[in-house]
Amino acid sequence: MTSTSSMASKFTMVDPNKGDDLHQIMAQTVNDRVGKAVEELQEKHDKRAASGKPAQQDDTSVDGPTGSTYRQVEARERVQQQKTVARSRKAEEQAVAAAREEEIVQQLHKANLLSDEEDDVEDENGLDAELKMIREKRMAQLKAQHQEKAENLSKGHGQYREISQDEFLPEVTGSRHVLVHFYHKDFMRCKIMDKHLAILAPAHVEAKFLKINAEKAPFFVGKLQVKILPTIIYFKESIAEERVQGFEGLTEGMAKGAEDEFPTSVLATKLANLGAIEYTAPPTLEELRKFQLKKTMGAIRAGGGGTCLYDDDEDFNGDISE
């Protein structure tokens, strides 16, 4: 145990016998204060020793960096951060869900399976202010898309057309998104690709769908290094960005011998992944249940019109009972 004398030796005492009377008084006052401080330190030291605590330790006072108040504040801040992250994640999930629901509603409108009145009911029930704002933003985007659609139709979008070599450059440079199918008139797989592109063209006016006879376009076949037929080249702003050669990536999961029977939606997904078209997969049965479109489910059960974007798709086969 440290004694009072050993602790006092750490301080320099003023000699009261030196100097004039004023200095002696000041020296005596300083010595008295130092002595009192030493006694207080000794008292605290004795209490620590009696309680078993070490004589020297970090500041563990209530407000110290390791004290209880600090730990409580730190815990509250940590909880608050976790809540903020959770709220942000939930808001993002709700935004994604709202956007997906809007896409489904638009598809169901196309299939005449959802009236405007039913849609309005869905809008008003269960949508908070934030989601309504997201919905309004989405509607504004749809209006802009409608205007763009009208402009594209005037440029020859909405149909699958054959062009000559002389028409190639004006057609490709005349629109932002252009798909050109290089084909051979005697190749069966080119005819299969023709069938799918003819289905896609009127449904995706955001892109121009063209085809050109490879035998009659030797310059562009060589310039673009077309070596496999069929080949679809995607031009974005007049630049050849991507291509689909043969049936690559279109027959995965198809039974052996049935590779040529892939659905149009597979090609649509492929072209969407390239950035050429905007394609939204038809709603699954689980999504219909999630968005509580019970009347629509009833219409599907009764066979009330096709909800798929393309006639050869079968996304809605199966039991939809709850």
Side-chain angles (χ1 to χ4, degrees), residues 13 57 100 105 205 254 270 289 310:
M13 304 291 285
Q57 63 181 28
R100 176 58 177 160
V105 167
V205 297
M254 300 296 294
K270 179 79 171 180
R289 294 190 183 98
Y310 314 117

Side-chain angles (χ1 to χ4, degrees), residues 236-250:
K236 181 179 180 181
E237 297 180 345
S238 307
I239 298 174
E241 290 277 337
E242 301 285 351
R243 64 181 61 200
V244 179
Q245 299 184 118
F247 284 1
E248 62 179 357
L250 302 176

Side-chain angles (χ1 to χ4, degrees), residues 19-169:
D20 54 25
D21 293 342
L22 179 58
H23 287 168
Q24 291 179 10
I25 294 173
M26 291 177 63
Q28 186 61 51
T29 300
V30 169
N31 289 339
D32 290 343
R33 290 180 178 177
V34 170
K36 185 177 181 181
V38 169
E39 291 177 0
E40 290 177 352
L41 287 173
Q42 179 64 44
E43 184 178 352
K44 289 181 179 179
H45 177 79
D46 292 342
K47 288 181 178 179
R48 281 203 187 101
S51 63
K53 293 182 180 180
Q56 299 290 335
Q57 63 181 28
D58 294 336
D59 181 7
T60 57
S61 63
V62 170
D63 296 323
T66 59
S68 59
T69 300
Y70 179 85
R71 289 194 296 271
Q72 290 173 4
V73 171
E74 187 181 45
R76 284 197 298 269
E77 290 178 349
R78 186 164 53 249
V79 171
Q80 187 62 35
Q81 290 176 352
Q82 292 172 348
K83 288 181 178 179
T84 300
V85 171
R87 281 197 300 269
S88 176
R89 186 179 294 114
K90 184 177 180 180
E92 182 179 353
E93 292 172 352
Q94 288 177 331
V96 171
R100 176 58 177 160
E101 182 178 0
E102 179 61 32
E103 291 171 344
I104 291 173
V105 167
Q106 292 300 319
Q107 287 194 20
L108 297 178
H109 275 307
K110 279 186 178 181
N112 295 320
L113 288 175
L114 189 66
S115 67
D116 291 335
E117 291 77 10
E118 291 170 340
D119 190 17
D120 290 341
V121 171
E122 293 291 335
D123 284 348
E124 297 302 325
N125 294 333
L127 284 179
D128 59 21
E130 184 176 359
L131 293 182
K132 286 182 179 179
M133 183 176 65
I134 295 172
R135 190 69 171 274
E136 290 173 359
K137 182 178 180 181
R138 175 60 178 163
M139 293 306 295
Q141 291 175 342
L142 291 174
K143 290 180 180 178
Q145 290 172 0
H146 180 74
Q147 183 177 356
E148 182 181 2
K149 178 180 179 180
E151 294 175 356
N152 285 338
L153 288 173
S154 68
K155 298 177 181 178
H157 293 227
Q159 50 188 315
Y160 184 42
R161 298 181 291 114
E162 182 164 4
I163 59 172
S164 66
Q165 183 166 259
D166 292 339
E167 296 171 320
F168 187 90
L169 286 178

